[in-house]
Amino acid sequence: MSSVPVAVVTGSNKGIGFAIVRALCKQFPGDVYLTARDPGRGQEAVAKLQEEGLHPLFHQLDIDDLQSIRALRDFLKEKYGGLNVLVNNAGIAFKVHDTTPFAVQAEVTLKTNFFGTRNVCMELLPLVKPYGKVVNVSSMVSSSALGRCSQELQQKFRSDTITEDELVKLMTKFVEDTKKSVHEKEGWPNTAYGVSKIGVTVLSRIQARMLNEKRKGDHILLNACCPGWVRTDMAGPKATKSPDEGAETPVYLALLPSDANGPHGQFLSDKTVRSW
Ligand code: NAP
Protein backbone atom coordinates (compact mmCIF):
# COMPACT_ATOMS: atom_id res chain seq x y z
CA MET A 1 0.00 0.00 0.00
CA SER A 2 1.29 3.44 -0.90
CA SER A 3 1.82 5.99 1.88
CA VAL A 4 1.81 8.85 -0.65
CA PRO A 5 -0.94 11.45 0.06
CA VAL A 6 -3.74 11.38 -2.49
CA ALA A 7 -6.22 13.96 -3.79
CA VAL A 8 -9.32 13.28 -5.90
CA VAL A 9 -11.30 15.82 -7.92
CA THR A 10 -14.69 14.83 -9.35
CA GLY A 11 -15.78 16.01 -12.80
CA SER A 12 -12.31 17.23 -13.67
CA ASN A 13 -11.94 16.57 -17.41
CA LYS A 14 -12.84 20.23 -18.10
CA GLY A 15 -13.82 23.54 -16.59
CA ILE A 16 -13.16 24.38 -12.94
CA GLY A 17 -12.42 20.77 -11.98
CA PHE A 18 -9.66 20.60 -14.60
CA ALA A 19 -8.16 23.84 -13.27
CA ILE A 20 -8.35 22.49 -9.70
CA VAL A 21 -6.37 19.42 -10.81
CA ARG A 22 -3.84 21.66 -12.55
CA ALA A 23 -3.34 23.71 -9.36
CA LEU A 24 -3.16 20.63 -7.12
CA CYS A 25 -0.57 19.04 -9.43
CA LYS A 26 1.57 22.13 -8.77
CA GLN A 27 0.91 22.45 -5.03
CA PHE A 28 -0.27 19.17 -3.47
CA PRO A 29 2.55 16.95 -2.23
CA GLY A 30 1.19 13.63 -3.52
CA ASP A 31 -0.83 11.88 -6.20
CA VAL A 32 -3.62 13.88 -7.83
CA TYR A 33 -6.48 12.05 -9.54
CA LEU A 34 -8.28 13.66 -12.43
CA THR A 35 -11.59 11.82 -12.71
CA ALA A 36 -14.19 11.81 -15.47
CA ARG A 37 -17.30 9.85 -16.27
CA ASP A 38 -16.01 9.29 -19.79
CA PRO A 39 -12.54 7.68 -19.84
CA GLY A 40 -11.79 9.12 -23.30
CA ARG A 41 -12.44 12.70 -22.20
CA GLY A 42 -10.55 11.98 -19.00
CA GLN A 43 -7.44 10.65 -20.72
CA GLU A 44 -7.47 13.57 -23.16
CA ALA A 45 -7.51 15.97 -20.21
CA VAL A 46 -4.64 14.11 -18.54
CA ALA A 47 -2.65 14.38 -21.80
CA LYS A 48 -3.24 18.16 -21.88
CA LEU A 49 -1.81 18.56 -18.39
CA GLN A 50 1.09 16.28 -19.26
CA GLU A 51 1.91 18.69 -22.09
CA GLU A 52 2.21 21.34 -19.38
CA GLY A 53 4.73 19.14 -17.56
CA LEU A 54 2.23 18.02 -14.91
CA HIS A 55 1.51 14.44 -13.87
CA PRO A 56 -2.09 13.82 -12.85
CA LEU A 57 -3.30 10.23 -12.57
CA PHE A 58 -6.67 9.10 -13.92
CA HIS A 59 -9.60 7.14 -12.55
CA GLN A 60 -13.07 6.81 -14.04
CA LEU A 61 -15.87 8.27 -11.91
CA ASP A 62 -19.51 8.87 -12.79
CA ILE A 63 -21.14 10.31 -9.69
CA ASP A 64 -24.58 9.22 -10.98
CA ASP A 65 -23.43 5.59 -10.84
CA LEU A 66 -23.03 3.96 -7.44
CA GLN A 67 -20.98 1.11 -8.93
CA SER A 68 -18.52 3.59 -10.40
CA ILE A 69 -18.24 5.41 -7.04
CA ARG A 70 -17.66 2.12 -5.23
CA ALA A 71 -15.01 1.04 -7.72
CA LEU A 72 -13.08 4.26 -6.97
CA ARG A 73 -13.62 3.73 -3.24
CA ASP A 74 -12.20 0.19 -3.40
CA PHE A 75 -9.26 1.35 -5.53
CA LEU A 76 -8.38 4.13 -3.05
CA LYS A 77 -8.75 1.81 -0.08
CA GLU A 78 -6.52 -0.83 -1.61
CA LYS A 79 -3.84 1.41 -3.14
CA TYR A 80 -3.63 4.19 -0.51
CA GLY A 81 -5.63 2.98 2.51
CA GLY A 82 -7.89 6.02 2.10
CA LEU A 83 -7.57 9.55 0.75
CA ASN A 84 -6.40 12.96 1.95
CA VAL A 85 -8.26 15.46 -0.22
CA LEU A 86 -11.67 15.14 -1.87
CA VAL A 87 -13.03 17.90 -4.09
CA ASN A 88 -16.67 17.33 -5.06
CA ASN A 89 -16.75 19.51 -8.17
CA ALA A 90 -18.85 17.53 -10.69
CA GLY A 91 -22.11 19.25 -11.48
CA ILE A 92 -24.60 20.07 -14.22
CA ALA A 93 -26.90 22.95 -15.12
CA PHE A 94 -29.54 23.26 -17.80
CA LYS A 95 -29.16 26.36 -19.93
CA VAL A 96 -31.61 29.19 -19.17
CA HIS A 97 -33.45 28.77 -22.48
CA ASP A 98 -33.60 24.96 -22.35
CA THR A 99 -37.17 23.87 -23.07
CA THR A 100 -36.97 20.56 -21.17
CA PRO A 101 -39.98 20.43 -18.82
CA PHE A 102 -39.11 21.91 -15.42
CA ALA A 103 -39.97 18.68 -13.57
CA VAL A 104 -37.45 16.79 -15.72
CA GLN A 105 -34.82 19.49 -15.18
CA ALA A 106 -35.45 19.23 -11.44
CA GLU A 107 -35.07 15.45 -11.35
CA VAL A 108 -31.96 15.37 -13.56
CA THR A 109 -30.25 18.31 -11.83
CA LEU A 110 -30.91 17.03 -8.31
CA LYS A 111 -29.82 13.53 -9.33
CA THR A 112 -26.28 14.65 -10.12
CA ASN A 113 -25.70 17.80 -8.07
CA PHE A 114 -27.28 16.66 -4.83
CA PHE A 115 -27.83 12.89 -4.79
CA GLY A 116 -24.65 12.07 -6.78
CA THR A 117 -22.52 14.32 -4.60
CA ARG A 118 -24.10 12.80 -1.49
CA ASN A 119 -23.39 9.27 -2.74
CA VAL A 120 -19.72 10.16 -3.30
CA CYS A 121 -19.60 11.52 0.26
CA MET A 122 -21.29 8.45 1.71
CA GLU A 123 -18.73 6.16 0.09
CA LEU A 124 -15.58 8.28 0.37
CA LEU A 125 -15.92 10.34 3.58
CA PRO A 126 -15.28 7.30 5.79
CA LEU A 127 -11.97 6.87 3.91
CA VAL A 128 -10.74 10.43 4.47
CA LYS A 129 -7.62 10.29 6.61
CA PRO A 130 -6.88 12.45 9.67
CA TYR A 131 -6.09 16.07 8.72
CA GLY A 132 -7.89 15.47 5.41
CA LYS A 133 -9.82 18.16 3.54
CA VAL A 134 -13.17 17.93 1.80
CA VAL A 135 -14.42 20.65 -0.53
CA ASN A 136 -17.96 20.63 -1.91
CA VAL A 137 -18.31 22.99 -4.85
CA SER A 138 -21.66 24.70 -4.41
CA SER A 139 -22.62 28.14 -5.70
CA MET A 140 -23.66 31.64 -4.61
CA VAL A 141 -26.89 30.64 -6.35
CA SER A 142 -27.54 28.45 -3.28
CA SER A 143 -27.68 31.62 -1.15
CA SER A 144 -29.90 33.56 -3.56
CA ALA A 145 -32.20 30.53 -3.97
CA LEU A 146 -32.37 30.17 -0.18
CA GLY A 147 -33.54 33.78 0.04
CA ARG A 148 -36.39 32.94 -2.34
CA CYS A 149 -37.61 29.94 -0.30
CA SER A 150 -40.61 30.28 2.07
CA GLN A 151 -39.75 31.33 5.63
CA GLU A 152 -40.49 27.79 6.76
CA LEU A 153 -38.04 26.24 4.28
CA GLN A 154 -35.39 28.89 5.04
CA GLN A 155 -35.65 28.04 8.71
CA LYS A 156 -35.17 24.35 7.97
CA PHE A 157 -32.19 24.92 5.66
CA ARG A 158 -30.52 27.25 8.15
CA SER A 159 -31.16 24.95 11.11
CA ASP A 160 -28.15 23.71 13.07
CA THR A 161 -29.96 20.49 13.88
CA ILE A 162 -31.33 19.42 10.46
CA THR A 163 -30.31 15.81 9.75
CA GLU A 164 -29.12 14.31 6.47
CA ASP A 165 -32.32 12.24 6.31
CA GLU A 166 -34.44 15.36 6.67
CA LEU A 167 -32.43 17.10 3.96
CA VAL A 168 -32.82 14.12 1.61
CA LYS A 169 -36.58 14.14 2.24
CA LEU A 170 -36.75 17.86 1.41
CA MET A 171 -34.73 17.46 -1.81
CA THR A 172 -36.95 14.51 -2.80
CA LYS A 173 -40.05 16.59 -2.00
CA PHE A 174 -38.85 19.38 -4.28
CA VAL A 175 -38.62 16.96 -7.22
CA GLU A 176 -42.04 15.48 -6.39
CA ASP A 177 -43.56 18.96 -6.03
CA THR A 178 -42.26 19.99 -9.47
CA LYS A 179 -43.93 16.90 -10.98
CA LYS A 180 -47.24 18.01 -9.47
CA SER A 181 -46.55 21.65 -10.47
CA VAL A 182 -47.02 22.71 -6.84
CA HIS A 183 -43.41 23.59 -6.00
CA GLU A 184 -43.99 27.35 -5.88
CA LYS A 185 -47.11 26.91 -3.76
CA GLU A 186 -44.99 24.71 -1.46
CA GLY A 187 -42.49 27.51 -0.96
CA TRP A 188 -39.73 26.51 -3.41
CA PRO A 189 -37.96 28.94 -5.74
CA ASN A 190 -38.28 28.34 -9.47
CA THR A 191 -34.70 27.09 -9.91
CA ALA A 192 -33.69 23.44 -10.00
CA TYR A 193 -29.98 24.31 -10.02
CA GLY A 194 -30.47 26.69 -7.07
CA VAL A 195 -32.29 24.06 -5.00
CA SER A 196 -29.67 21.43 -5.87
CA LYS A 197 -26.96 23.77 -4.59
CA ILE A 198 -28.95 24.59 -1.43
CA GLY A 199 -28.75 20.83 -0.95
CA VAL A 200 -24.96 20.81 -1.42
CA THR A 201 -24.39 23.71 1.00
CA VAL A 202 -26.71 22.31 3.69
CA LEU A 203 -25.25 18.81 3.23
CA SER A 204 -21.79 20.27 3.86
CA ARG A 205 -22.97 21.94 7.07
CA ILE A 206 -24.46 18.64 8.27
CA GLN A 207 -21.38 16.61 7.33
CA ALA A 208 -19.09 19.03 9.14
CA ARG A 209 -21.28 18.71 12.24
CA MET A 210 -21.12 14.91 12.01
CA LEU A 211 -17.33 15.04 11.74
CA ASN A 212 -17.29 17.16 14.92
CA GLU A 213 -19.47 14.63 16.69
CA LYS A 214 -17.91 11.40 15.46
CA ARG A 215 -14.32 12.14 14.40
CA LYS A 216 -13.30 15.26 16.30
CA GLY A 217 -9.76 13.96 16.90
CA ASP A 218 -9.18 13.50 13.16
CA HIS A 219 -9.04 17.27 12.44
CA ILE A 220 -10.75 16.90 9.05
CA LEU A 221 -11.92 20.22 7.57
CA LEU A 222 -14.98 20.14 5.30
CA ASN A 223 -16.47 23.19 3.57
CA ALA A 224 -18.71 24.27 0.73
CA CYS A 225 -17.69 27.06 -1.62
CA CYS A 226 -18.58 29.07 -4.68
CA PRO A 227 -15.85 29.33 -7.32
CA GLY A 228 -17.27 32.62 -8.64
CA TRP A 229 -18.69 33.21 -12.10
CA VAL A 230 -16.31 31.25 -14.28
CA ARG A 231 -15.84 30.97 -18.05
CA THR A 232 -16.67 27.30 -18.63
CA ASP A 233 -19.11 25.34 -20.78
CA MET A 234 -21.59 25.71 -17.91
CA ALA A 235 -21.44 29.49 -17.47
CA GLY A 236 -20.35 30.61 -20.95
CA PRO A 237 -17.74 33.05 -22.26
CA LYS A 238 -19.12 36.21 -20.61
CA ALA A 239 -18.31 35.07 -17.07
CA THR A 240 -15.77 37.16 -15.18
CA LYS A 241 -13.24 34.59 -13.97
CA SER A 242 -10.91 32.24 -15.83
CA PRO A 243 -11.09 28.56 -14.76
CA ASP A 244 -7.74 28.97 -12.94
CA GLU A 245 -9.20 31.91 -11.00
CA GLY A 246 -12.32 29.86 -10.29
CA ALA A 247 -10.13 27.11 -8.86
CA GLU A 248 -8.55 29.43 -6.28
CA THR A 249 -11.09 29.12 -3.46
CA PRO A 250 -11.60 25.33 -3.82
CA VAL A 251 -7.81 24.84 -3.91
CA TYR A 252 -7.31 27.14 -0.90
CA LEU A 253 -9.76 24.94 1.04
CA ALA A 254 -8.19 21.72 -0.23
CA LEU A 255 -4.74 22.86 0.92
CA LEU A 256 -5.54 24.38 4.32
CA PRO A 257 -2.51 23.74 6.53
CA SER A 258 -2.62 20.83 8.97
CA ASP A 259 -2.56 23.19 11.98
CA ALA A 260 -5.62 25.14 10.75
CA ASN A 261 -8.72 24.82 12.95
CA GLY A 262 -10.98 26.29 10.29
CA PRO A 263 -12.81 27.16 8.26
CA HIS A 264 -14.98 24.11 8.85
CA GLY A 265 -18.66 23.62 7.98
CA GLN A 266 -18.70 27.01 6.24
CA PHE A 267 -19.73 28.38 2.87
CA LEU A 268 -17.01 30.49 1.24
CA SER A 269 -16.46 32.55 -1.86
CA ASP A 270 -13.29 34.45 -2.72
CA LYS A 271 -11.64 32.63 0.23
CA THR A 272 -14.04 34.43 2.58
CA VAL A 273 -16.63 32.85 4.88
CA ARG A 274 -20.12 33.99 3.88
CA SER A 275 -23.18 34.00 6.08
CA TRP A 276 -25.80 31.35 5.33
P1 NAP B 1 -18.47 22.34 -16.69
O1 NAP B 1 -17.42 23.02 -17.46
O2 NAP B 1 -19.78 22.01 -17.32
O3 NAP B 1 -17.82 21.01 -16.06
C1 NAP B 1 -18.59 20.14 -15.30
C2 NAP B 1 -17.80 18.87 -15.06
O4 NAP B 1 -18.60 17.98 -14.28
C3 NAP B 1 -17.44 18.14 -16.35
O5 NAP B 1 -16.18 17.55 -16.21
C4 NAP B 1 -18.53 17.10 -16.44
O6 NAP B 1 -18.16 15.97 -17.19
C5 NAP B 1 -18.64 16.74 -14.97
N1 NAP B 1 -19.83 15.96 -14.66
C6 NAP B 1 -21.12 16.25 -14.90
N2 NAP B 1 -21.90 15.23 -14.50
C7 NAP B 1 -21.08 14.28 -14.00
C8 NAP B 1 -21.27 13.00 -13.46
N3 NAP B 1 -22.49 12.44 -13.35
N4 NAP B 1 -20.19 12.31 -13.01
C9 NAP B 1 -18.96 12.83 -13.11
N5 NAP B 1 -18.71 14.02 -13.66
C10 NAP B 1 -19.76 14.74 -14.09
O7 NAP B 1 -18.88 23.17 -15.38
P2 NAP B 1 -17.99 24.09 -14.40
O8 NAP B 1 -18.41 25.49 -14.61
O9 NAP B 1 -16.56 23.72 -14.47
O10 NAP B 1 -18.60 23.63 -13.00
C11 NAP B 1 -17.88 22.91 -12.00
C12 NAP B 1 -18.63 23.05 -10.69
O11 NAP B 1 -18.67 24.44 -10.31
C13 NAP B 1 -20.09 22.61 -10.76
O12 NAP B 1 -20.43 21.97 -9.56
C14 NAP B 1 -20.84 23.92 -10.90
O13 NAP B 1 -22.17 23.82 -10.43
C15 NAP B 1 -20.00 24.83 -10.02
N6 NAP B 1 -20.15 26.26 -10.29
C16 NAP B 1 -19.80 26.81 -11.48
C17 NAP B 1 -19.91 28.16 -11.70
C18 NAP B 1 -19.50 28.83 -12.98
O14 NAP B 1 -19.67 30.05 -13.10
N7 NAP B 1 -18.96 28.10 -13.95
C19 NAP B 1 -20.41 28.99 -10.67
C20 NAP B 1 -20.76 28.42 -9.45
C21 NAP B 1 -20.62 27.05 -9.26
P3 NAP B 1 -18.58 15.80 -18.76
O15 NAP B 1 -17.53 16.53 -19.55
O16 NAP B 1 -18.56 14.33 -18.95
O17 NAP B 1 -19.94 16.41 -18.93
Side-chain angles (χ1 to χ4, degrees):
M1 193 185 291
S2 170
S3 60
V4 172
V6 57
V8 172
V9 184
T10 73
S12 45
N13 53 286
K14 67 177 183 178
I16 298 162
F18 180 77
I20 293 171
V21 168
R22 174 189 279 135
L24 289 179
C25 283
K26 292 176 184 170
Q27 298 175 58
F28 178 74
D31 289 350
V32 181
Y33 279 83
L34 185 154
T35 68
R37 54 181 161 182
D38 179 86
R41 288 198 287 275
Q43 296 291 3
E44 242 175 71
V46 165
K48 259 191 228 162
L49 290 174
Q50 282 170 344
E51 278 168 28
E52 297 178 20
L54 302 171
H55 304 286
L57 298 163
F58 176 72
H59 202 284
Q60 193 272 346
L61 176 66
D62 181 345
I63 71 166
D64 289 346
D65 175 0
L66 204 47
Q67 266 189 342
S68 164
I69 298 172
R70 289 184 174 151
L72 175 63
R73 174 200 65 188
D74 293 345
F75 168 79
L76 291 167
K77 219 187 221 172
E78 197 174 313
K79 177 146 190 213
Y80 299 94
L83 80 163
N84 303 82
V85 167
L86 170 63
V87 183
N88 281 304
N89 163 81
I92 59 160
F94 282 83
K95 299 288 178 214
V96 180
H97 298 296
D98 195 304
T99 54
T100 306
F102 188 65
V104 176
Q105 294 198 18
E107 183 153 42
V108 171
T109 307
L110 273 277
K111 181 180 172 171
T112 299
N113 294 5
F114 178 73
F115 292 102
T117 300
R118 173 173 180 256
N119 284 341
V120 173
C121 290
M122 285 207 302
E123 300 297 333
L124 296 191
L125 279 193
L127 263 65
V128 174
K129 295 185 181 182
Y131 298 95
K133 312 285 182 289
V134 181
V135 185
N136 294 332
V137 179
S138 184
S139 169
M140 285 303 255
V141 175
S142 69
S143 301
S144 54
L146 179 69
R148 285 188 277 132
C149 287
S150 65
Q151 285 304 320
E152 192 189 335
L153 280 174
Q154 288 191 36
Q155 215 169 27
K156 287 180 181 164
F157 289 133
R158 289 202 173 97
S159 158
D160 287 328
T161 53
I162 184 174
T163 64
E164 194 167 322
D165 275 355
E166 287 166 344
L167 177 62
V168 166
K169 282 199 183 110
L170 283 167
M171 292 292 118
T172 306
K173 182 176 185 304
F174 170 69
V175 175
E176 293 308 314
D177 285 349
T178 64
K179 286 182 187 161
K180 293 180 266 173
S181 296
V182 297
H183 61 283
E184 285 180 290
K185 196 174 116 254
E186 291 293 310
W188 297 103
N190 209 23
T191 159
Y193 180 77
V195 172
S196 76
K197 292 298 188 179
I198 290 177
V200 173
T201 303
V202 176
L203 182 68
S204 310
R205 286 160 57 88
I206 296 169
Q207 287 168 339
R209 223 173 61 219
M210 290 302 115
L211 286 170
N212 289 346
E213 285 177 18
K214 300 200 170 125
R215 297 182 62 186
K216 188 75 189 162
D218 284 348
H219 305 280
I220 294 165
L221 297 177
L222 182 153
N223 292 286
C225 70
C226 176
W229 189 31
V230 185
R231 289 186 295 277
T232 62
D233 288 348
M234 183 182 285
K238 289 189 188 143
T240 47
K241 286 187 180 182
S242 68
D244 289 330
E245 288 166 339
E248 281 177 19
T249 297
V251 169
Y252 155 74
L253 291 170
L255 297 178
L256 286 167
S258 57
D259 60 355
N261 292 319
H264 177 58
Q266 303 291 338
F267 174 65
L268 294 92
S269 66
D270 288 324
K271 301 185 193 170
T272 306
V273 172
R274 305 293 173 184
S275 60
W276 176 247

